[in-house]
């Protein structure tokens, strides 16, 4: 199985900050990577797929990059509604997909 | 609005069974591959099962293989997850999700959108 490792596990930031979350795959996955946002008690929401494609309706302050084993999710200017948990997910071995352990983004 | 809604969760004893349902709206179910993902309390996301748009192809995580069965009834617009021989470690919120690209409109597969809010399954005596 392909293991996905996110860092950091949690991060504190302020409104307006630029935040970067990293995801590393245990083997190369090309650009078969997605990012999701989840708020407590809610369904995960697809933000980015194919490593850098912004899902329809997602604000442009979210961006993704990377290929192979190393990927990043960047939020250019944090808004109050962005405080949530973020997960990466590999689709290289779809339908057997795996997720990172999550990164909790908290208000400083 | 494109969405999916799960139902059927509840409290069940170890060794018991439960059947979850997933009902989509705002899209044609028969065009899409569907997936179940679970989330144990306070934990991350774990893929559980997949079913092709026709229902002829299914896959399972090793942790549930032989105990869970995924199925669909496109005429009734529903996807199901039959869970047998339940264990305490199956306790989780179970989410149903659509594979975004399987209905066309984008390339490749494995991107899940939308997800349902989930239904809680608690396995305890």
């Amino acid at each position: 199985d392909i293991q996905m490792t996110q860092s950091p596990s949690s991060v504190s930031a302020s409104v307006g900050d630029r935040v970067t979350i990293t995801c590393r795959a245990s083997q190369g996955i090309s650009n078969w990577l997605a990012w999701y946002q989840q708020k407590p008690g809610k369904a995960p929401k697809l933000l980015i797929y194919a490593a850098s494609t912004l899902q329809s309706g997602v604000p442009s302050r979210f961006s993704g990059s990377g290929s192979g084993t190393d990927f990043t999710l960047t939020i250019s200017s944090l808004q109050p509604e962005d405080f949530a948990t973020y997960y990466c997910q590999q689709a290289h071995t779809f339908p057997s997909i795996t997720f990172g352990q999550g990164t909790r983004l908290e208000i400083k | 609005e494109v969405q999916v809604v799960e139902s059927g969760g509840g409290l069940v004893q170890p060794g018991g069974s439960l059947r979850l349902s997933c009902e989509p709206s705002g899209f044609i179910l028969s065009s899409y591959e569907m997936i179940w993902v679970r989330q144990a309390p306070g934990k991350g996301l774990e893929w559980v099962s997949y079913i092709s748009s026709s229902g002829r192809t299914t896959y399972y995580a090793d942790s549930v293989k032989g105990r869970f069965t995924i199925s669909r009834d496109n005429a009734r617009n529903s996807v199901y997850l039959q869970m047998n021989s339940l264990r305490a470690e199956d306790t989780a919120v179970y989410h149903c999700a659509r594979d975004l690209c399987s209905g066309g409109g984008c390339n490749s597969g494995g991107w899940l959108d939308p997800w349902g809010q989930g239904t809680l399954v608690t396995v305890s005596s």
Side-chain angles (χ1 to χ4, degrees):
Chain A
D1 290 2
I2 298 176
Q3 309 302 317
M4 307 300 293
T5 304
Q6 291 181 230
S7 60
S9 296
S10 65
V11 58
S12 296
S14 301
V15 173
D17 284 354
R18 179 185 182 91
V19 171
T20 297
I21 297 169
T22 297
C23 180
R24 174 165 289 175
S26 60
Q27 65 188 72
I29 60 170
S30 184
N31 68 337
W32 293 92
L33 187 99
W35 290 97
Y36 299 88
Q37 176 194 68
Q38 187 180 31
K39 296 180 180 179
K42 301 296 186 182
K45 174 186 174 183
L46 177 65
L47 299 175
I48 288 169
Y49 62 95
S52 61
T53 301
L54 198 65
Q55 170 62 340
S56 175
V58 175
S60 59
R61 63 181 179 272
F62 291 92
S63 64
S65 65
S67 183
T69 59
D70 294 313
F71 302 86
T72 59
L73 170 70
T74 299
I75 310 172
S76 60
S77 178
L78 274 173
Q79 298 302 300
E81 61 267 29
D82 299 337
F83 292 95
T85 299
Y86 293 84
Y87 292 94
C88 63
Q89 172 237 313
Q90 66 82 15
H92 184 67
T93 55
F94 180 75
S96 178
I97 57 178
T98 50
F99 297 87
Q101 81 278 15
T103 294
R104 186 175 178 183
L105 177 52
E106 301 173 316
I107 301 174
K108 184 182 286 184
Chain B
E1 181 185 4
V2 174
Q3 63 179 359
V4 295
V5 178
E6 306 90 341
S7 61
L11 174 63
V12 62
Q13 292 187 339
S17 298
L18 216 52
R19 188 199 200 200
L20 306 184
S21 298
C22 169
E23 295 190 5
S25 59
F27 64 95
I28 300 172
L29 176 65
S30 60
S31 297
Y32 290 88
E33 300 161 15
M34 300 294 290
I35 290 94
W36 286 95
V37 174
R38 68 185 179 182
Q39 188 168 29
K43 302 296 184 182
L45 301 165
E46 178 191 16
W47 169 71
V48 173
S49 186
Y50 156 95
I51 189 165
S52 63
S53 56
S54 67
R56 285 192 287 268
T57 302
T58 60
Y59 293 100
Y60 301 91
D62 287 344
S63 57
V64 307
K65 199 173 296 181
R67 301 187 298 122
F68 289 13
T69 302
I70 191 172
S71 62
R72 65 192 295 158
D73 186 338
N74 288 335
R76 296 192 175 191
N77 213 41
S78 291
V79 177
Y80 307 102
L81 186 68
Q82 177 67 43
M83 305 185 296
N84 298 331
S85 303
L86 283 162
R87 307 166 180 167
E89 55 264 35
D90 295 319
T91 294
V93 173
Y94 285 72
H95 298 277
C96 174
R98 180 185 73 167
D99 174 60
L100 175 66
C101 296
S102 54
C106 52
N107 294 325
S108 75
W111 323 125
L112 307 187
D113 182 80
W115 297 55
Q117 195 157 332
T119 186
L120 176 62
V121 173
T122 303
V123 184
S124 175
S125 54

